[in-house]
Amino acid sequence: MAATDEKNYITPEGFEALKAEFHQLYKIERPEVVRTVSWAAGNGDRSENGDYIYGKRRLRQIDSRCRHLMRRMDLAEIVDASQQQHLEKVYFGAWVSLYNLDDDTEHVYRIVGKDELEPSKGYISWVSPLAKSLLGKSIGDTVRAATPKGEASFEIVEIKY
């Protein structure tokens, strides 16, 4: 399956965040930049006009990001974890508490879509090696997965949705 054909699973919160970012860029930032560029264009020579040059560059960045967000939203398949069955197992949207058997530490992760990735909050993508090793497992199961620090063994101690 090509990367463009891959499912874009996303939580309802993640989808709302994409919509909010799109709205902020398209309805608020873009019109302001367009006004600045129009004003700057009216000031004569555009070759040395910083407001005009920067504004045009910022418009390209905003338009590019908006196109990306629209594609991601079009491909999105919203998965509401509260509607899951078999909540005793790890599935998309789950909060999973893990005990690292190698260094005796505990970690909490939430399995989310690729557009929601935020390691500082414990949000890991469902396509990451750790998430893939957890999917379908239950409390008490042990998994081994690649982490940024190398291979590690984890025991699942809690699953919440």
Side-chain angles (χ1 to χ4, degrees), residues 108-127:
V108 179
Y109 298 104
R110 183 172 191 205
I111 299 174
V112 297
K114 293 185 284 185
D115 294 315
E116 304 171 85
L117 188 63
E118 202 166 333
S120 64
K121 286 182 161 182
Y123 287 17
I124 61 172
S125 169
W126 68 278
V127 296

Side-chain angles (χ1 to χ4, degrees), residues 41-104:
N43 289 338
D45 184 12
R46 297 176 186 174
S47 64
E48 295 181 15
N49 186 328
D51 286 329
Y52 180 81
I53 293 167
Y54 171 77
K56 292 295 278 184
R57 181 181 315 135
R58 181 67 185 133
L59 272 178
R60 286 191 300 274
Q61 292 169 341
I62 289 171
D63 290 344
S64 175
R65 181 67 181 163
C66 284
R67 280 191 304 276
H68 172 76
L69 291 169
M70 285 179 8
R71 273 193 308 274
R72 298 307 291 166
M73 288 187 294
D74 286 345
L75 294 172
E77 189 166 321
I78 301 170
V79 178
D80 189 346
S82 67
Q83 305 298 316
Q84 295 279 12
Q85 308 233 341
H86 309 291
L87 297 179
E88 70 281 355
K89 292 188 180 283
V90 177
Y91 292 111
F92 184 88
W95 285 95
V96 185
S97 296
L98 302 174
Y99 180 72
N100 186 325
L101 300 169
D102 298 330
D103 66 9
D104 295 328

Side-chain angles (χ1 to χ4, degrees), residues 9-22:
Y9 295 119
I10 192 166
T11 64
E13 303 88 14
F15 190 77
E16 288 304 315
L18 290 181
K19 283 182 15 183
E21 182 183 356
F22 180 82

